[in-house]
């Protein structure tokens, strides 16, 4: 593994603080280019796909590549299993999926953790150890993503984010305790193995997954006569440093315990109070109480006997806390234990000091495990928890304890909402998320606490970027809401989630209409008017994201209802209505009325809501674009970018505008030839965790990188874009063609002929017909190579391809005209004139045509002015090319 330098460590820490490259450069007094180089190096060394993954690594304190996130840290020594460790390491080298099979308590988890640590050198790209015990059905992928430090991006499924994080490097994913999620774990393992060729998956389970290629390794009890006795003595000495016993007594004890590590540890914890002889007598009595002979079920018989015996030795208050702790699905802190466990038979809350004392006693008896970390937490092993829950049911306390668990979860979730943005809130939420979900799912009836938990969990999961989960929780909260007004608020937030997490805006439209109905039930005419206006805007502004066109008659009727419901003189209602009218009155789908859009901007500014103002500006920018005023559209979108700083990233209401603004800003900047603006917008989008560094955002950055001559970076981002898209297994979207073309351009311009041929072939895969981006690349590379044999058909292609609003139309015309000049085609002058109107709105095309005219007339001053124009654009390669022309005799 490669070492991380001190400077790289500083950059990594800054990434952990969510600083941009420019901010890091200022802090460390280095150039942005140097920061980019360090980030690229860190991505390679850690084997992670993006800067957000690096930020998560920094937050976890990681310094060296090869780290397996979430690897359990035990406070006790690992005893024996030398042969199993060696065999398992060999299996991981030979098979991509290895399953450790064995009953509960046999030591599968501990063996898997030790082997994962042993194998770190084999997996330089790191990985994750994922405990699935507290994970409910449907959340296995979420648990893996959390362990890996990745979240969903806008319209990026969680499985894609996991695959992108694991990448193509050698990674290790450990799925611990899969038996209750066997089918789900099998499907997840299959997807990971298919998408990530360098990843190995290690599973612990009581049954095999049944995935093709699975290598099963049975885990037996510790061998008697050696490892079992060593483990017993080690744990007995930890409980009583003065422990001493005859070897034959210890051997008999371990035989009675069937060599099962968990039963050995539970029994050894009593060594201080009973001694070896007393333990043996107690075990004989405990085993005698259980019927059944020795045989295949003996391991379960001995484990049940030892748990019962150990439990019976507890004091009453220890038993009460122990059984009540069984309701926790995952780890819990002292406050949670006090709120749920109580200390007396009445089961009420208890003082922290008393609960801490009881927890300490249960830890000493190996019934509770202390989880080391930034915050002190405890948990019950799966087998022990099942026993505790059985005792809880026997005591008739299950309903009351689960009710307290629900109240604790609602209070804890509400408190976590108040800590959003504080350091460590994500780790704290992740630690209790399984219990919040479990409490909500097990609530027997709707009440105030259940609603409060669902609402808070929706907010928290959105802030944690569990977008689809947040959408589901908002729907649940709306159903549980105590009044129509609260339901309307949940549905509005759900609409924001749906916009960025689902592929259909039909969900958004329907949720807004439902919210409007709930607002009517609440007597909230203002809310109803806003909901209806937003629904109309959504249908008109994003028609491509609907399965079926929403009839205009229906939308006009909804807007009329909104007008009747809203109060006169309300600035927000007036602005929302103005925006909806502008989109509805336009000459076509997705095209607003220009005059009404201008009026909507004025109304939105008066309302003072940045989200609403951005929405109105989008209408004005789209109208300018449709009229061919590309520079004006770009200027308006830059104003939208400035508004983003005032939008709350933890509020779903803001999410649609955040995502739409970045996307439009990149496209409009390219169309106007504003390369610096396109670069800034693309980088900002990649650094915003609502979008993340996905194949979509990587593709947006490729284009300005290639056009400004940063070819190495463009190729790197293009490769990452293509890799992620291929591993996603989805059809190539239309927008991807421009980025594939840009990568082909970068390869050709940098002289990498082999890679250029590869990307040109990919262009053919992505294109479904003539396209301006393809024609532009072909013309520009022919000009770069001085290859003029096919100049005439390439020029014809450049002037024939593309629709009026194709982002690369101006580029294709300008490059085609310059190729005509360089090749000496007879109609070069006419072609220059034909390209001129497009250059008025595109600065790249203007500089290109200026250079072409300088070529045509041999005008050195004209070429010098063209070089200055390229320099102003930041197009270094084009500037250097122009200077070479000036230097020729």
């Amino acid at each position: 593994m490669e070492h991380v330098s001190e400077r790289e460590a500083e950059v990594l820490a800054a990434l952990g603080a969510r600083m941009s490259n420019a901010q890091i450069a200022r802090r460390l007094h280095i150039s942005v280019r140097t920061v980019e180089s360090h980030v690229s190096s860190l991505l390679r060394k850690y084997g992670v796909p993006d800067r957000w993954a690096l930020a998560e690594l920094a937050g976890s304190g990681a310094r060296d590549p090869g780290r397996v996130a979430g690897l359990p840290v035990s406070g006790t020594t690992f005893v024996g299993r030398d042969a199993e460790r060696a065999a398992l390491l060999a299996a991981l080298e030979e098979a991509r999926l290895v399953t450790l099979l064995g009953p509960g308590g046999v030591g599968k988890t501990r063996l898997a953790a030790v082997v994962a640590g042993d194998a770190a050198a084999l997996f330089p790209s790191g990985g994750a150890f994922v405990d699935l015990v507290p994970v409910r059905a449907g959340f296995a992928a979420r648990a893996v993503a959390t362990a890996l430090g990745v979240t969903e991006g806008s319209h990026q499924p969680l499985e894609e984010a996991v695959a992108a994080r694991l990448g193509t490097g050698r990674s290790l994913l450990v799925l611990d305790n899969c038996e209750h999620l066997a089918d789900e774990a099998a499907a997840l393992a299959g997807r990971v193995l298919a998408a990530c060729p360098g990843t190995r998956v290690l599973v612990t389970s009581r049954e095999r997954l049944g995935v093709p290629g699975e290598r099963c390794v049975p885990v037996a009890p510790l061998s008697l006569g050696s490892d079992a006795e060593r483990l017993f003595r080690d744990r007995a000495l930890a409980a009583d440093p003065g422990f001493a016993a005859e070897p034959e007594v210890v051997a008999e004890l371990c035989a009675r315990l069937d060599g099962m590590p968990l039963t050995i540890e539970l029994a050894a914890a009593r060594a201080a109070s009973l001694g070896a002889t007393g333990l043996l007598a107690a075990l004989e009595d405990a085993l005698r109480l259980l019927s059944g002979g020795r045989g295949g079920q003996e391991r379960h018989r001995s484990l049940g006997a030892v748990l019962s015996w150990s439990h019976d030795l507890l004091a009453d208050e220890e038993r009460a806390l122990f059984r009540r702790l069984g309701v926790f699905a995952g780890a819990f802190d002292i406050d949670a234990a006090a709120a749920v466990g109580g200390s007396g038979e009445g089961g009420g809350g208890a003082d922290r000091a008393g609960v801490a004392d009881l927890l300490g006693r249960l830890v000493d008896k190996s019934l509770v495990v202390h989880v080391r970390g930034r915050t002190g937490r405890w948990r019950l092993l799966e087998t022990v928890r099942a026993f505790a829950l059985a005792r809880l049911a026997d005591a008739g306390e299950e309903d009351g304890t689960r009710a307290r668990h629900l109240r604790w979860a609602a209070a804890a979730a509400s408190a976590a909402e108040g800590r959003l943005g504080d350091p460590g809130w994500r780790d704290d939420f992740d630690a209790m998320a399984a219990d919040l979900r479990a409490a909500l799912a097990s609530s027997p009836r709707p009440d105030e606490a259940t609603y409060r938990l669902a609402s808070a969990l929706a907010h928290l999961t959105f802030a944690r970027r569990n977008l689809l989960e947040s959408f589901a929780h908002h729907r649940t909260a709306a159903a549980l809401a105590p009044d129509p007004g609260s339901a309307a608020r949940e549905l509005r937030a759900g609409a924001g989630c749906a916009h960025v997490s689902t592929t259909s805006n039909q969900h958004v439209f329907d949720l807004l209409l439902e919210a409007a109905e709930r607002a009517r039930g609440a007597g909230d005419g203002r809310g109803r008017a806003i909901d209806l206006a937003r629904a109309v805007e959504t249908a008109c502004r994003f028609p491509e994201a609907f399965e079926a066109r929403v009839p205009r008659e229906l939308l006009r009727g909804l807007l009329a209802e909104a007008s009747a419901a809203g109060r006169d003189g309300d600035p927000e209602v007036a602005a929302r209505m103005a925006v909806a009218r502008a989109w509805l009155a336009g000459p076509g789908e997705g095209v607003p009325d220009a005059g009404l859009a201008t009026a909507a901007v004025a109304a939105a500014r008066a309302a003072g809501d940045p989200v609403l103002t951005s929405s109105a500006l989008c209408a004005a920018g789209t109208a300018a674009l449709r009229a061919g005023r590309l520079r004006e559209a770009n200027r308006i979108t830059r104003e939208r970018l400035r508004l983003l700083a005032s939008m709350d990233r933890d509020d779903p209401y803001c999410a649609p505008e955040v995502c739409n603004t970045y996307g439009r800003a990149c496209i409009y900047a390219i169309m106007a030839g504003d390369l610096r603006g396109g670069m800034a917008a693309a980088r900002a989008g990649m650094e915003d965790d609502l979008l993340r560094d996905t194949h979509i955002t990587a593709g947006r950055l490729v284009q300005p990188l290639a056009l400004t001559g940063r070819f190495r970076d463009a190729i790197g981002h293009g490769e990452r874009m293509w890799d992620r898209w291929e591993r996603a297994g989805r059809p190539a979207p239309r927008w991807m063609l421009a980025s594939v073309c840009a990568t082909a351009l970068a390869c050709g311009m940098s002289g990498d002929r082999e890679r250029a041929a590869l990307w040109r072939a990919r262009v053919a895969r992505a294109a479904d017909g003539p396209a301006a981006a393809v024609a532009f690349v072909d013309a520009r590379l022919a000009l770069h190579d001085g290859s003029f044999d096919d100049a005439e058909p390439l020029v014809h292609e450049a002037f024939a391809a593309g629709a009026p609003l194709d982002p690369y139309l101006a580029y294709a015309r300008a490059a085609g005209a310059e190729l005509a000049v360089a090749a000496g085609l007879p109609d070069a002058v006419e072609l220059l004139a034909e390209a001129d109107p497009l250059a008025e709105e595109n600065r790249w095309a203007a500089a290109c045509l200026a250079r072409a005219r300088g070529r045509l007339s041999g005008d050195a001053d004209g070429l010098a002015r063209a070089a200055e124009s390229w320099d102003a654009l930041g197009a270094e390669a084009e500037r250097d090319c122009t200077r070479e022309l000036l230097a020729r005799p």
Side-chain angles (χ1 to χ4, degrees):
M1 288 181 286
E2 297 179 69
H3 176 66
V4 175
S5 69
E6 288 300 321
R7 179 63 84 187
E8 287 172 339
E10 291 175 331
V11 171
L12 183 63
L15 290 171
R18 298 299 196 269
M19 296 175 68
S20 68
N21 285 356
Q23 291 171 320
I24 296 172
R26 288 194 294 271
R27 168 179 281 191
L28 300 181
H29 305 290
I30 56 179
S31 69
V32 173
R33 182 68 65 86
T34 301
V35 175
E36 293 171 355
S37 176
H38 286 313
V39 171
S40 297
S41 176
L42 288 166
L43 290 170
R44 176 176 53 80
K45 289 180 178 180
Y46 282 102
V48 297
D50 53 58
R51 62 188 294 120
W52 284 98
L54 286 174
E56 294 290 346
L57 286 171
S60 67
R63 173 64 187 275
D64 296 319
R67 174 179 176 270
V68 177
L71 194 64
V73 178
S74 178
T76 58
T77 56
F78 183 74
V79 176
R81 303 279 196 197
D82 292 341
E84 290 96 327
R85 289 169 75 172
L88 192 49
L89 282 170
L92 282 172
E93 292 212 52
E94 297 168 2
R96 296 194 59 208
L97 173 61
V98 179
T99 299
L100 291 178
L101 289 175
V106 80
K108 301 184 298 295
T109 295
R110 190 72 188 276
L111 177 58
V114 169
V115 170
D118 292 342
L122 300 175
F123 302 101
S125 295
F129 190 106
V130 187
D131 178 13
L132 293 178
V133 166
V135 177
R136 300 182 62 82
F139 286 91
R142 172 77 57 211
V144 172
T146 299
L148 288 169
V150 299
T151 56
E152 298 165 57
S154 174
H155 303 300
Q156 182 196 35
L158 194 63
E159 289 79 2
E160 284 186 25
V162 169
R165 165 62 180 83
L166 292 171
T168 56
R170 288 184 61 84
S171 303
L172 176 64
L173 177 62
V174 184
L175 302 177
D176 187 34
N177 292 294
C178 291
E179 49 276 347
H180 66 300
L181 299 172
D183 292 342
E184 190 175 341
L188 176 60
R191 286 194 296 270
V192 167
L193 293 173
C196 307
T199 296
R200 296 288 192 271
V201 179
L202 175 60
V203 168
T204 75
S205 180
R206 299 179 190 180
E207 60 183 81
R208 66 191 308 271
L209 295 188
V211 175
E214 179 180 17
R215 173 84 63 87
C216 294
V217 178
V219 181
L222 291 172
S223 56
L224 297 174
S226 59
D227 289 344
E229 289 81 0
R230 285 177 55 203
L231 177 64
F232 184 90
R233 288 187 180 278
D234 182 89
R235 301 304 191 256
L237 286 169
D240 178 12
F243 174 81
E246 294 297 324
E248 58 271 19
V249 175
V250 174
E252 177 64 17
L253 276 167
C254 292
R256 294 277 181 170
L257 297 169
D258 300 301
M260 293 288 282
L262 178 56
T263 57
I264 288 173
E265 294 198 359
L266 286 167
R270 292 290 184 174
S273 59
L274 296 177
T277 305
L279 279 174
L280 186 56
L283 280 174
E284 289 176 346
D285 290 340
L287 287 167
R288 196 175 298 118
L289 293 175
L290 295 179
S291 61
R294 303 183 70 85
Q297 297 300 314
E298 178 59 23
R299 295 168 189 167
H300 298 289
R301 190 173 76 96
S302 63
L303 178 56
V306 172
L307 280 169
S308 296
W309 161 68
S310 187
H311 173 264
D312 291 345
L313 291 175
L314 297 176
D316 288 346
E317 58 184 358
E318 292 172 342
R319 290 183 199 174
L321 178 61
F322 170 70
R323 62 178 177 260
R324 293 164 189 164
L325 293 178
V327 299
F328 285 104
F332 48 86
D333 62 15
I334 192 71
D335 291 324
V340 174
S343 61
E345 292 302 323
D351 65 284
R352 299 174 81 256
V355 168
D357 176 62
L358 292 173
L359 279 174
R361 291 191 235 165
L362 293 173
V363 169
D364 290 341
K365 296 171 176 65
S366 294
L367 290 169
V368 172
V369 177
H370 185 204
V371 182
R372 289 167 172 76
R374 181 178 60 84
T375 301
R377 295 184 184 277
W378 292 261
R379 65 187 293 260
L380 274 63
L381 296 178
E382 178 190 15
T383 306
V384 177
R385 179 177 180 244
F387 179 87
L389 284 172
R391 301 290 78 74
L392 187 69
D394 291 345
E397 296 179 355
E398 187 170 7
D399 289 346
T401 304
R402 291 201 179 279
R404 291 196 301 279
H405 184 244
L406 173 65
R407 291 195 296 273
W408 161 80
S414 296
E417 277 190 288
R419 294 186 53 236
L420 289 177
D422 291 350
W425 84 264
R426 290 179 178 84
D427 291 341
D428 291 342
F429 170 73
D430 291 346
M432 66 179 178
D435 270 291
L436 301 184
R437 294 169 182 137
L440 180 61
S442 62
S443 178
R445 60 186 180 279
D447 58 19
E448 187 274 337
T450 310
Y451 164 68
R452 189 155 49 97
L453 174 57
S455 181
L457 194 51
H459 190 189
L460 290 166
T461 49
F462 181 82
R464 193 66 181 91
R465 299 299 178 253
N466 301 342
L467 303 179
L468 279 171
E469 181 184 358
S470 177
F471 172 51
H473 288 317
H474 276 301
R475 293 301 306 262
T476 299
L480 295 170
D483 56 78
S486 298
R489 287 193 297 272
E490 299 297 341
L491 292 166
R492 290 164 193 146
C497 288
H499 190 102
V500 296
S501 62
T502 67
T503 57
S504 171
N505 271 355
Q506 185 70 49
H507 296 299
V508 182
F509 183 77
D510 292 343
L511 285 167
L512 288 170
L513 293 185
E514 190 177 348
E517 283 305 297
R518 297 298 184 94
R520 176 160 62 180
D524 179 12
R526 178 180 184 275
R528 175 173 169 76
I530 291 173
D531 293 333
L532 291 171
R534 289 180 63 196
V536 171
E537 177 195 348
T538 299
C540 296
R541 183 178 170 188
F542 307 107
E544 70 284 353
F546 281 76
E547 289 88 353
R549 177 178 173 273
V550 182
R552 288 279 164 157
E553 300 76 27
L554 172 61
L555 296 177
R556 281 191 281 269
L558 293 175
L559 199 57
E561 287 184 40
S563 179
R567 298 193 303 268
D568 292 338
D570 187 304
E572 185 177 356
V573 172
R576 279 291 173 195
M577 293 290 296
V579 172
R581 286 194 190 97
W583 285 104
L584 185 58
E589 286 192 346
V591 185
D593 178 273
L596 292 178
T598 300
V601 171
R605 292 192 202 281
D609 177 359
V611 173
L612 179 49
T613 301
S614 176
S615 174
L617 286 169
C618 181
T622 304
L625 182 79
R626 293 285 176 168
R629 301 191 301 275
L630 306 184
R631 295 193 183 192
E632 180 183 345
N634 185 46
R635 176 190 60 74
I636 290 171
T637 309
R638 287 202 306 271
E639 183 178 350
R640 292 183 69 197
L641 282 171
R642 291 191 292 272
L643 287 171
L644 294 182
S646 58
M647 295 185 193
D648 183 358
R649 293 302 195 278
D650 295 334
D651 185 351
Y653 169 64
C654 304
E657 286 305 318
V658 172
C659 296
N660 179 262
T661 297
Y662 283 125
R664 292 294 178 97
C666 294
I667 295 171
Y668 288 10
I670 292 296
M671 294 182 75
D674 176 12
L675 306 187
R676 295 184 191 276
M679 185 93 69
R683 290 193 186 282
M686 293 178 74
E687 293 172 4
D688 194 304
D689 70 347
L690 259 175
L691 283 81
R692 296 182 56 86
D693 185 1
T694 64
H695 71 281
I696 297 174
T697 52
R700 289 172 181 166
L701 184 56
V702 168
Q703 299 175 59
L705 284 172
L707 291 170
T708 55
R710 293 166 171 80
F711 300 133
R712 185 187 66 177
D713 290 341
I715 295 168
H717 283 285
E719 294 284 5
R720 292 166 69 196
M721 171 195 70
W722 189 266
D723 172 67
R724 293 175 187 183
W725 165 70
E726 282 198 319
R727 280 190 281 116
R730 295 188 289 175
R734 290 193 305 272
W735 64 262
M736 198 168 166
L737 175 61
S739 299
V740 174
C741 287
T743 312
L745 176 68
C747 293
M749 295 286 284
S750 61
D752 190 339
R753 294 185 179 277
E754 181 178 352
R755 190 175 281 179
L758 169 66
W759 277 94
R760 192 59 185 80
R762 288 173 173 174
V763 167
R765 284 178 59 185
D768 56 1
V774 179
F776 161 60
V777 170
D778 288 344
R780 185 63 191 89
L781 289 180
L783 185 66
H784 174 75
D785 295 338
S787 176
F788 302 142
D789 292 345
D790 296 324
E792 188 168 359
L794 290 178
V795 170
H796 175 75
E797 179 189 1
F799 277 82
L805 288 177
D806 189 310
Y808 279 86
L809 184 63
Y811 294 88
R813 297 285 198 276
E818 186 173 13
L819 178 59
V821 170
L825 298 185
D827 56 350
V829 174
E830 290 81 359
L831 293 172
L832 285 169
E834 186 176 343
D836 267 341
L838 292 173
E840 293 177 5
E841 293 291 334
N842 184 296
R843 295 170 61 194
W844 193 99
C848 183
L849 292 178
R851 182 172 65 194
R853 286 194 167 86
R855 281 177 182 263
L856 182 65
S857 63
D859 179 6
D861 289 341
L863 288 173
R865 287 192 295 273
E868 291 174 359
S869 296
W870 291 124
D871 200 39
L873 287 175
E876 298 172 3
E878 301 291 0
R879 178 201 61 199
D880 294 344
C881 172
T882 309
R883 288 175 178 172
E884 288 176 11
L885 291 174
L886 274 168
R888 292 178 186 175

